[in-house]
Amino acid sequence: MDKNLLNSLSQEIIGASIEVHSIIGPGMLENIYSKALAYELRLRGHKVEMEVPIPCIYKGVAMNTAYRADLIVDDAIIVELKATENDSPLYSKQLFSYLRLADKKLGLLINFNRKRLIDGLTRVVNNI
């Protein structure tokens, strides 16, 4: 997917996230936001996969890992969701690793536990 389409799709995901946040608000469990966002994106015509395993291959051997992307939208953007008080730099690094391992170019880290959702949004790119 080219850069313009990725940017357009990311804006649609952010819009759907804002819709979910405006209805549910902060303070819920991550699982609730995940299901609600997947539902909202599907209503808008997007393909959404949930809890997608991310394999880690080391020298041709698959490592037994528990890496899972919260959502992958239209086979293009990984969306990692949080519902935490603090934004650890580890979350962005983890998402970058997911992008690299899954060979995806763009990811969104969304922390729903914010008064304003925009304060909990981070774009992570992998060689765009």
Side-chain angles (χ1 to χ4, degrees):
M1 186 175 280
D2 78 3
K3 185 176 177 179
N4 291 332
L5 289 174
L6 282 173
N7 285 332
S8 176
L9 178 56
S10 72
Q11 289 302 313
E12 290 184 47
I13 294 167
I14 291 168
S17 300
I18 290 170
E19 176 74 8
V20 168
H21 189 265
S22 71
I23 293 171
I24 297 176
M28 301 296 279
L29 296 174
E30 182 182 311
N31 191 346
I32 299 297
Y33 297 114
S34 179
K35 289 178 181 176
L37 182 55
Y39 179 77
E40 184 66 33
L41 288 166
R42 288 178 181 132
L43 283 177
R44 296 174 184 216
H46 296 285
K47 175 185 173 192
V48 180
E49 297 173 274
M50 300 177 70
E51 294 296 320
V52 180
I54 304 286
C56 181
I57 309 297
Y58 178 75
K59 293 187 175 183
V61 177
M63 301 288 107
N64 186 14
T65 63
Y67 293 142
R68 291 188 179 279
D70 289 333
L71 304 174
I72 297 182
V73 181
D74 291 345
D75 295 319
I77 296 179
I78 296 177
V79 181
E80 277 300 299
L81 304 176
K82 300 293 177 197
T84 64
E85 278 297 312
N86 47 5
D87 292 318
S88 170
L90 177 63
Y91 300 147
S92 293
K93 292 175 185 174
Q94 182 182 41
L95 178 53
F96 180 76
S97 293
Y98 288 179
L99 292 171
R100 195 172 40 80
L101 291 170
D103 195 29
K104 304 291 183 205
K105 301 296 181 196
L106 182 61
L108 294 173
L109 175 61
I110 305 172
N111 188 348
F112 278 91
N113 198 28
R114 294 289 174 266
K115 185 174 181 178
R116 294 178 342 131
L117 187 67
I118 196 72
D119 296 331
L121 287 171
T122 305
R123 285 173 51 102
V124 178
V125 298
N126 177 30
N127 295 323
I128 288 184

